[in-house]
Amino acid sequence: MPPIPLPIPTSLSDLLLAMDLIGVFVFGLSGGTLAVRKNLDLFGVMVLSLAAALAGGVFRDLLIGAAPPASLRDDRYLLAALAAGFAAFLFHRPINRLGKPVMVLDAAGLGLFTVAGCSKALAYGLTPLPAALLGVMTACGGGAMRDLLVAEVPRVLREEIYAMASLLGAAVVIAGQHLGLPPVPVAVVGAAAVFALRVVSVLRGWSAPRAPGS
């Protein structure tokens, strides 16, 4: 029997939906922008945008028994991903002028998807550790799929702080629930913490620990 989701406050439910959709669009932009940089055609841009935007959420929903996945039940997910792909295809020049566009977009999507994924896992009755892992998988799955499709080592496996930033956001969400704090501010703080740590780690050159002597 699939797990039964726990009641979610309406305000938090609306916020998580908004975070999910904004995350889909942002990750879709990161995928589309990378596809343009790799000189892919329109079809390639749309494929990379869809993969980056939706893969993590699909994995999450299948693992917690929320089938069919939200992106196949709600047209807004697909429309947001497709809109992001077209936006990247048409407006990649002004996007690239922002400086490190893929990294910034990726960091924003990482924060949004971490919070949405972890919160949804908790709502389906998962304990904190599996919920944190689901949050990280939601956040990192799309980016990993995007990078693999263009034959790059996924960012989550590189030296940069990536999955660790996602874990920080999941920890904020779990701690907030444990302490009984208002869920909406906790979600916002969690997403902001992921974004800040990810961006600062890139700007400062921070990296995850490596094996001694490697």
Side-chain angles (χ1 to χ4, degrees):
M1 178 181 295
I4 300 174
L6 304 174
I8 302 178
T10 302
S11 57
L12 178 60
S13 179
D14 292 341
L15 178 64
L16 293 180
L17 175 62
M19 282 186 161
D20 243 356
L21 291 174
I22 295 171
V24 164
F25 185 81
V26 169
F27 259 131
L29 272 181
S30 77
T33 303
L34 181 60
V36 171
R37 183 183 298 172
K38 296 291 185 178
N39 295 317
L40 303 186
D41 61 14
L42 176 60
F43 180 74
V45 171
M46 300 311 294
V47 168
L48 221 61
S49 180
L50 287 168
L54 303 178
V58 169
F59 294 153
R60 172 201 65 203
D61 288 351
L62 291 177
L63 286 173
I64 64 177
S71 57
L72 301 182
R73 286 185 283 109
D74 190 334
D75 288 344
R76 288 175 292 183
Y77 286 85
L78 287 171
L79 291 174
L82 291 171
F86 279 116
F89 185 79
L90 296 173
F91 305 113
H92 60 93
R93 287 190 179 91
I95 291 173
N96 282 323
R97 291 194 194 103
L98 297 174
K100 295 186 179 295
V102 174
M103 185 275 291
V104 173
L105 292 170
D106 196 69
L110 191 72
L112 293 167
F113 271 3
T114 295
V115 171
C118 184
S119 298
K120 188 168 184 177
L122 289 171
Y124 269 72
L126 271 67
T127 54
L129 181 56
L133 294 177
L134 258 294
V136 173
M137 179 177 292
T138 304
C140 299
M145 182 68 71
R146 172 200 64 204
D147 295 342
L148 289 172
L149 286 173
V150 292
E152 288 190 0
V153 177
R155 293 173 188 271
V156 68
L157 302 180
R158 299 181 194 173
E159 296 178 8
E160 300 167 347
I161 302 293
Y162 195 85
M164 291 176 66
S166 182
L167 279 172
L168 172 63
V172 170
V173 172
I174 291 167
Q177 186 193 68
H178 180 72
L179 295 173
L181 300 177
V184 173
V186 168
V188 173
V189 170
V194 176
F195 178 81
L197 178 56
R198 170 68 181 144
V199 171
V200 170
S201 70
V202 173
L203 296 178
R204 295 294 183 90
W206 296 346
S207 62
R210 292 188 294 177
S214 63

